[in-house]
Amino acid sequence: QVQLVESGGGLVQAGGSLRLSCAASGRTFSSYGMGWFRQAPGKEREFVAAISWSDIITNYDYADSVKGRFTISRDNAKNTVYLQMNSLKPEDTAVYYCAATRGSVATMTPVGYDYWGQGTQVTVSS
């Protein structure tokens, strides 16, 4: 079993920055593909960013709405994945969820993930 715990959410003004963290339990964290999703009230959960790799390359994927503003990264020594969010907009307001897949390839759809965190609220004021 893998447990994921997100932190770092909060209230920020438009144009500001936040860094979300997702701490994972489990000795095989380094082999998991990891993703961030978000869900706003009344909307479906949507993909934000993902990081996956093989022995050759690390691959990053981003939703078009966050490209150039958000950066996903991971620190395997700390069993943690991060989401650096810059130039935040009111439309970024949502609960942000961290997710892990036992496969090394992290997809852009929620169904591709095996484990989920409890979520952390991000609110961007205008």
Side-chain angles (χ1 to χ4, degrees), residues 59-80:
N59 189 62
Y60 303 88
D61 289 300
Y62 296 94
D64 288 343
S65 59
V66 306
K67 279 181 182 176
R69 301 188 297 122
F70 290 12
T71 303
I72 188 172
S73 63
R74 66 192 297 163
D75 185 337
N76 288 338
K78 297 182 178 180
N79 275 16
T80 301

Side-chain angles (χ1 to χ4, degrees), residues 13-54:
Q13 289 188 333
S17 298
L18 284 174
R19 188 177 80 157
L20 305 183
S21 299
C22 173
S25 65
R27 292 175 291 178
T28 56
F29 170 79
S30 61
S31 67
Y32 292 155
M34 302 295 296
W36 285 96
F37 289 78
R38 66 187 181 187
Q39 188 166 18
K43 295 187 177 181
E44 293 185 353
R45 190 167 297 189
E46 67 172 2
F47 170 76
V48 176
I51 182 169
S52 52
W53 60 52
S54 66

Side-chain angles (χ1 to χ4, degrees), residues 82-106:
Y82 303 97
L83 185 68
Q84 178 67 44
M85 306 186 295
N86 299 328
S87 302
L88 283 161
K89 305 175 181 180
E91 52 263 43
D92 294 319
T93 295
V95 176
Y96 283 71
Y97 297 91
C98 171
T101 172
R102 288 190 291 266
S104 61
V105 177

